Amino acid sequence: NNVLGPTCRHVLFQTDDAANDKYVYGGAGKPRKGVQLLGTRAFDSLIHNIKMRIGKHALSFQYNKEDAEEWEEKLDNEDTDEVATENMIRRLKRIEKKLNEEGKAIETLANFYVQVEEEWSEPDLRAIGFVRCSPPVAFNADDEGFTEDWAAFELDGRKFEKVFEGNFIDLGMLSPLLLQAV
């Protein structure tokens, strides 16, 4: 009933001359090294990027709002022929569509921001499992000169019950910033 995930050892552990020992989980009751999705830097970066995207959409919303107001004023104040009036109305509808899209994007991102802050802000909330084993990083580990750099971690099944369908779970693009041992 256990689901294991592979990753590179250097993603989970700091690896240097002083810290490159074999790691094996000792079993029930023994301390274990947790695996956390989104380390502190990655989490801070995520929060920053959400705020930046909200700001980008807010600027675009404001620009389009001002543009719409100008076109509405032109439409109200100018005595134009029928074709020019229809063109202005079409332009105004396109701008209003952009306003609607930007407003929805801001709302979606704001809701996501609240969810991230509430559900992921504490490192314990981002824990997805624990390290089962990892040999030390070894260079020229075989006759071909390959590097041995791997670790196996066990996923916390309770956190993946809703998304596990079959023999894989897509955790997305994981990088050293996103996954770390704690």
Side-chain angles (χ1 to χ4, degrees):
N1 292 333
N2 299 342
V3 177
L4 299 179
T7 190
C8 295
R9 178 190 172 89
H10 75 267
V11 170
L12 295 177
F13 297 101
Q14 179 179 346
T15 303
D16 55 29
D17 291 338
N20 191 26
D21 298 329
K22 178 179 180 179
Y23 176 82
V24 177
Y25 171 57
K30 303 286 184 183
R32 56 189 191 181
K33 297 219 177 260
V35 174
Q36 173 181 311
L37 189 61
L38 295 174
T40 303
R41 285 188 319 179
F43 180 78
D44 291 345
S45 178
L46 173 65
I47 291 294
H48 174 76
N49 288 334
I50 295 170
K51 288 179 183 178
M52 293 297 289
R53 290 192 66 189
I54 290 171
K56 176 186 150 259
H57 288 290
L59 285 173
S60 181
F61 183 89
Q62 186 60 37
Y63 170 79
N64 283 303
K65 182 178 175 189
E66 291 169 5
D67 201 20
E69 289 168 355
E70 284 181 31
W71 281 100
E72 286 172 349
E73 190 176 312
K74 284 181 184 180
L75 197 56
D76 289 342
N77 295 335
E78 289 188 16
D79 187 24
T80 58
D81 62 35
E82 197 173 313
V83 172
T85 300
E86 286 178 16
N87 286 337
M88 282 194 270
I89 291 170
R90 274 197 296 277
R91 170 90 185 222
L92 193 54
K93 285 182 180 180
R94 281 195 304 270
I95 295 168
E96 288 170 348
K97 181 180 177 190
K98 287 180 188 176
L99 274 170
N100 188 34
E101 290 169 355
E102 296 295 346
K104 285 180 181 177
I106 292 168
E107 181 181 355
T108 300
L109 286 166
N111 290 336
F112 181 54
Y113 178 83
V114 168
Q115 180 185 11
V116 166
E117 280 287 330
E118 288 176 357
E119 298 176 15
W120 296 13
S121 61
E122 295 300 319
D124 290 351
L125 298 174
R126 298 191 304 268
I128 62 169
F130 65 95
V131 181
R132 292 296 295 210
C133 65
S134 179
V137 173
F139 301 99
N140 295 317
D142 63 6
D143 294 338
E144 304 279 329
F146 287 105
T147 299
E148 183 176 22
D149 179 13
W150 65 271
F153 61 94
E154 183 174 324
L155 292 173
D156 180 350
R158 296 168 296 165
K159 293 191 176 188
F160 295 95
E161 290 172 336
K162 295 176 185 170
V163 296
F164 185 66
E165 297 177 8
N167 61 356
F168 72 94
I169 296 174
D170 184 359
L171 295 175
M173 187 75 143
L174 299 180
S175 75
L177 288 176
L178 297 179
L179 198 63
Q180 70 181 29
V182 290

